[in-house]
Amino acid sequence: MDKNTIIGFVLIGVVLFTFSWLNRPSQEELAQKRIQDSINRVEYAKLQAELQVQEKTQADSSSKINDTDSTKQQKLINTYGAFAEAATKKDTIISLENEFLQLKFSAKGGQLISACLKEYTSYDSLPLMLFADNESKFGLTLITSNNRIINTEELFFEPVSIKERELTMRLYAEKDKYLDFIYSLQPNDYMLDFKIVATGLDQVLSQNLTSVDLQWIQKVRQQELGRKFEDQRTQLYYKYSADDVEYMSESKEETKAIPNRLKWIAYKDQFFSSVLISNQDFESSSLETKIYKTGKYTKEFKTNAIVSFDPRGVEPTSFSYYLGPNKYKLLKEYDKKRFKDQDMKLEKLVPLGMSLFRFVNQWIVIPVFDFFVHACGSLGLAIFLLTLVIKIALFPLTYKSLISSAKMKVLKPQVEEINEKYPGQDNAMTRQQKTMDLYRRAGASPMSGCLPMLLQMPFWIALFMFFPSAIELRHESFLWAKDLSTYDAVIRLPFEIPYFGAHISLFCLLMSITNIVYTKFNMDQTNTGQQQMPGMKMMMYLMPLMMLVFLNQYPAGLNYYYFISTLITIIQTIAFRYFLNEEKLLAKLEENKKKPVKKSGFMAKLENAQRRQQELQKQQRKNVKSNNRR
């Protein structure tokens, strides 16, 4: 190696050393590299582990495939026993329908899952669905011979017979051992027949099994525009086998255990109901209500009950589903014909008031109203004619009230003379005594006008219950009201007023105005000259305003009735005043004064009590004066 070569290698070494020294990594770069190396080692180890697991899985998969299938099958057998095969089938939907109903049934649970009422629509003009999808659930709890508890809702039935209006859903345990759910519809009917029939299940189910637990759940949809008002009439009703119809609270959630036998259970909203009727009665029932404040549902109802069951199938377990409107005449017809002599009282699903008020609606209001609906076709005109007939029928009572008021009016000058003759608080008892004596001798009484008005109250309250329950008004328009079964909002408010709502109903407003006018007119006509209690006049005007607040969310048909009724009352009063000869009436009262007055025992005792009270007051005043002098 010559000198030049050695110098060249030395220079190359110096250059490489200088370059390495100048480009060496900083401490931060060294730390970052160490971190990255650690991450790479972790990722590498993780990758190696995954590869090992994958290799092991691939190695074992072929040997375990058969074990997995057998394990699943064993689990199904452990859970469902003889019904294990029915837990793995696919769901199918089958439909039945007639002129009124369109029903859908699911293979899962063999249950009714959808009910559409063809003749009705919801408030937003959609088909009226009582329930659909997962909104209704029905199942039976069965106990197998080896004490396994299963629910039919979890198992898949097979549709073995599908006819025009009849369907048989079958739950197999074995080929010759099964449970049938048999559904059948009749033409033009809201009633669905439902039978549960077992075949050979006495060898599959628990011995001595004579009853099963039934579960029925349904979410109730909002069907009407006025949700708050609909909420008040959405309730769970039930009928005792040997007693009357009861219902659960509409305003609070509650659970009620009923040991007595029940004939039917109804999930009812304002105008429609789903009713499950048992031919063998429900026993040991537990009923539950849940409230939805917002959303598409208003309530959720739940029933747990015990029903009789024959595993051999000798005696079927029979039900009837009523899926239809709360129409009084229709429900009454079912009671008379289909359930003759069974005292079902399905018409109680229409709330018409208690005792006397329900009697008025059943035997007077509904027949007259139905007659006018069929005669004239217009619901608005039918309400007007119904109101007119009622006001004419009650006019004899109104006339007695008007006569009583007229007597008070013509005697007013004489009452004022008594007030002037006996002024001051000290003579209050004397004034009252003299005034009552005047009325008694003239044959007048301030109370005689109250009784006829009280006798009219049953009609007023009966109609207050009738109109909100009359499905005939539903979606029927009149004048500006598009639907007489709900409020007729003419003004929408940007906010909600408690108890009033977020709107103003025109019929309610007109009703309140006419009541204020009538109150003013009546108070002017019936002023007897006697001193009234402080605030009484203001109270009289406050009542129509309270009715405006209270009735603003009520159906337009009800407010229309009250509006027309008050107008007719004003007309009757004006006509009475026009034709009344006050001079003749006063002359007759003066003639009455000349006749001897027979005092009843009650009046005599009342006068004696007044005299004793008057003497006691005089004695008290004397004592006060004597004490002041001392």
Side-chain angles (χ1 to χ4, degrees), residues 54 58 92 103 106 113 162 188 213-214 276 290 322 370 377 398 413 422 440 466 499 520 532 561 574 594 608 619:
Q54 185 176 358
Q58 290 175 352
T92 56
L103 308 176
S106 172
I113 60 168
I162 305 175
N188 301 300
D213 290 339
L214 173 151
L276 185 60
K290 179 180 178 181
Y322 176 76
D370 286 345
T398 305
Y422 301 97
R440 185 177 65 255
F466 168 72
Y499 304 104
K520 170 80 167 103
Q532 293 184 345
Y561 159 73
I574 293 175
K594 300 176 182 178
N608 291 332
Q619 185 62 39

Side-chain angles (χ1 to χ4, degrees), residues 383-436:
I383 294 174
F384 172 79
L385 294 175
L386 171 68
T387 310
L388 186 62
V389 167
I390 291 175
K391 296 300 290 185
I392 292 174
L394 296 177
F395 183 72
L397 298 176
T398 305
Y399 180 79
K400 289 185 177 181
S401 296
L402 293 173
I403 283 290
S404 177
S405 299
K407 290 179 179 180
M408 299 297 105
K409 184 180 179 182
V410 297
L411 292 174
K412 178 181 176 181
Q414 299 180 43
V415 173
E416 291 176 345
E417 289 180 5
I418 294 174
N419 293 338
E420 293 175 359
K421 187 175 181 181
Y422 301 97
Q425 186 63 31
D426 294 345
N427 294 316
M429 185 63 67
T430 303
R431 285 199 306 272
Q432 182 181 4
Q433 187 177 0
K434 295 293 183 181
T435 302
M436 294 304 296

Side-chain angles (χ1 to χ4, degrees), residues 23 33 67 88 104 122 154-155 195 201 235 245 264 295 328 372 401 403 423 448 451 458 471 538 579 596 602 630:
N23 290 279
K33 186 175 184 302
D67 291 342
T88 59
K104 292 183 179 180
S122 62
E154 302 172 354
L155 303 174
K195 290 184 179 180
L201 291 184
Q235 295 173 270
V245 177
W264 54 257
Y328 178 83
F372 285 131
S401 296
I403 283 290
S448 62
L451 182 59
I471 194 173
M538 183 59 66
F579 290 106
F602 173 78
R630 294 176 185 175

Side-chain angles (χ1 to χ4, degrees), residues 250-289:
E250 78 285 356
S251 59
K252 64 179 181 180
E253 296 182 346
E254 65 174 326
T255 301
K256 184 178 290 187
I258 303 177
N260 307 73
R261 287 175 171 265
L262 299 181
K263 196 63 184 175
W264 54 257
I265 300 167
Y267 298 165
K268 169 193 170 299
D269 63 28
Q270 184 176 357
F271 291 120
F272 304 96
S273 290
S274 302
V275 188
L276 185 60
I277 306 166
S278 174
N279 287 0
Q280 290 87 11
D281 295 346
F282 300 98
E283 300 179 39
S284 302
S285 303
S286 174
L287 309 177
E288 182 179 343
T289 62

Side-chain angles (χ1 to χ4, degrees), residues 406-414 438 442 580-593:
K407 290 179 179 180
M408 299 297 105
K409 184 180 179 182
V410 297
L411 292 174
K412 178 181 176 181
Q414 299 180 43
L438 169 64
L580 177 67
N581 190 322
E582 293 186 353
E583 293 182 356
K584 288 185 178 180
L585 179 60
L586 180 59
K588 183 178 179 181
L589 296 179
E590 292 297 333
E591 285 294 325
N592 290 340
K593 291 181 183 180

Side-chain angles (χ1 to χ4, degrees), residues 350-368:
V350 184
L352 297 175
M354 301 298 291
S355 57
L356 176 60
F357 312 124
R358 189 173 187 87
F359 176 85
V360 171
N361 277 322
Q362 285 179 320
W363 300 103
I364 301 176
V365 174
I366 291 177
V368 175

